[in-house]
Amino acid sequence: GENVEQHPSTLSVQEGDSAVIKCTYSDSASNYFPWYKQELGKGPQLIIDIRSNVGEKKDQRIAVTLNKTAKHFSLHITETQPEDSAVYFCAASRGLGAGSYQLTFGKGTKLSVIP
Amino acid sequence: EAQVTQNPRYLITVTGKKLTVTCSQNMNHEYMSWYRQDPGLGLRQIYYSMNVEVTDKGDVPEGYKVSRKEKRNFPLILESPSPNQTSLYFCASSSGGKTQYFGPGTRLLVL
C-alpha cells in the first residue's frame, strides 16, 4: 500500500518568514495530493491540493509543488502569520473509481509562527 | 450549511461495552470514511464506503464495524472496545473526487 513520509514534525518560524513542509510517497500510481490544516480542537480542513498532471499550484500565500519522478511534494507558505499556526498534514491517493479517493496521510507537521 | 456531524463529541466508556459513534453529512456525498488520529501517527483510515451498502476496510479496521444503510449516515461501531482504541476519531465525506470534508471529531477514552 501507499506510504507517506512527512518532514519536519515540528517547525517554528518568525512571523513574515516562509515555511516549507515536505512529503514523499511510495506508490507511483498516486495521482492526487491534498494538504490539510488542523487547528486545535477541529477536524482537518483542505487548504490546497494538486493532481499529478500539474507541477505547481498557488493560492495566495500558499503553494504546492509536485515532482512525480522523485515522488515528493511540498507545501510552501510565504509571509507567515500567527493564524497559520496549526498542524499540517499531507496526503497521497489514487483514484478508486467513481470519482472517489482513498487518502493516506503523513504524520503531520506542527507549525508555530512566532510573532 | 454544508457539514459533517459526529456524535457524541466526547465519550468515556469501559472495556467491552459496545458503543456506536454516529456520522451524518448533508451534502449528498457518495464517499464516506472513518479515521483515527493518534499522537505521532497522524490520521489512519479505519473503513470507507463508496456508496450505500458498499463498504471496505482501510488501514486499521481491526475491532471496528461500519454500516451504510443510508447515503447520509455512516456509523462506526465498536462491539467490544479495548483501551488501545482510545483515540480521536474523524468522519469525512466527499463527492466526485473533490475535497474530503471532515467532521469535528469524537474523543474516545476506553478504561
Side-chain angles (χ1 to χ4, degrees):
Chain A
E2 176 66 276
N3 182 49
V4 177
E5 299 282 341
Q6 183 173 346
H7 299 280
S9 56
T10 60
L11 178 60
S12 292
V13 299
Q14 290 291 136
E15 182 177 357
D17 287 350
S18 295
V20 180
I21 303 171
K22 299 181 179 182
C23 289
T24 60
Y25 61 98
S26 61
D27 187 351
S28 56
S30 288
N31 55 13
Y32 175 61
F33 307 92
W35 285 89
Y36 284 82
K37 176 183 181 182
Q38 186 178 24
E39 297 175 333
L40 201 60
K42 296 183 179 180
Q45 186 172 19
L46 181 82
I47 55 172
I48 196 167
D49 58 9
I50 192 168
R51 297 183 190 272
S52 59
N53 57 349
V54 176
E56 184 174 356
K57 185 176 178 180
K58 190 173 182 180
D59 182 4
Q60 299 182 341
R61 296 185 297 108
I62 294 173
V64 58
T65 59
L66 171 65
N67 183 327
K68 283 218 73 179
T69 302
K71 288 192 275 189
H72 66 71
F73 56 113
S74 301
L75 177 71
H76 304 253
I77 306 174
T78 59
E79 301 172 17
T80 53
Q81 301 166 4
E83 51 265 38
D84 294 329
S85 296
V87 178
Y88 291 81
F89 291 97
C90 64
S93 174
R94 54 186 175 89
L96 296 173
S100 296
Y101 290 87
Q102 183 176 1
L103 297 175
T104 299
F105 285 85
K107 291 183 170 54
T109 296
K110 184 177 181 180
L111 174 64
S112 299
V113 180
I114 304 163
Chain B
E1 179 190 353
Q3 60 182 351
V4 178
T5 56
Q6 295 179 226
N7 283 292
R9 294 290 313 280
Y10 303 92
L11 180 58
I12 301 174
T13 190
V14 295
T15 299
K17 186 176 181 181
K18 181 180 179 179
L19 66 91
T20 299
V21 183
T22 65
C23 173
S24 183
Q25 49 93 5
N26 62 1
M27 296 167 280
N28 200 36
H29 286 169
E30 294 84 21
Y31 182 91
M32 297 186 73
S33 182
W34 275 103
Y35 297 87
R36 61 177 290 174
Q37 183 176 24
D38 302 290
L41 297 178
L43 289 148
R44 294 178 294 167
Q45 190 176 53
I46 303 170
Y47 269 94
Y48 66 96
S49 169
M50 291 182 65
N51 215 323
V52 176
E53 302 292 1
V54 181
T55 64
D56 208 347
K57 296 177 180 178
D59 297 319
V60 288
E62 294 77 21
Y64 304 95
K65 284 176 57 178
V66 293
S67 69
R68 187 88 183 275
K69 293 184 171 58
E70 305 166 285
K71 198 172 187 180
R72 64 183 293 127
N73 296 322
F74 189 45
L76 179 69
I77 303 157
L78 284 71
E79 294 270 3
S80 182
S82 62
N84 63 12
Q85 292 178 297
T86 292
S87 187
L88 177 58
Y89 291 87
F90 288 102
C91 180
S93 73
S94 69
S95 178
K98 296 177 182 173
T99 180
Q100 286 198 22
Y101 292 88
F102 282 79
T106 295
R107 191 168 291 279
L108 172 65
L109 172 62
V110 183
L111 300 173

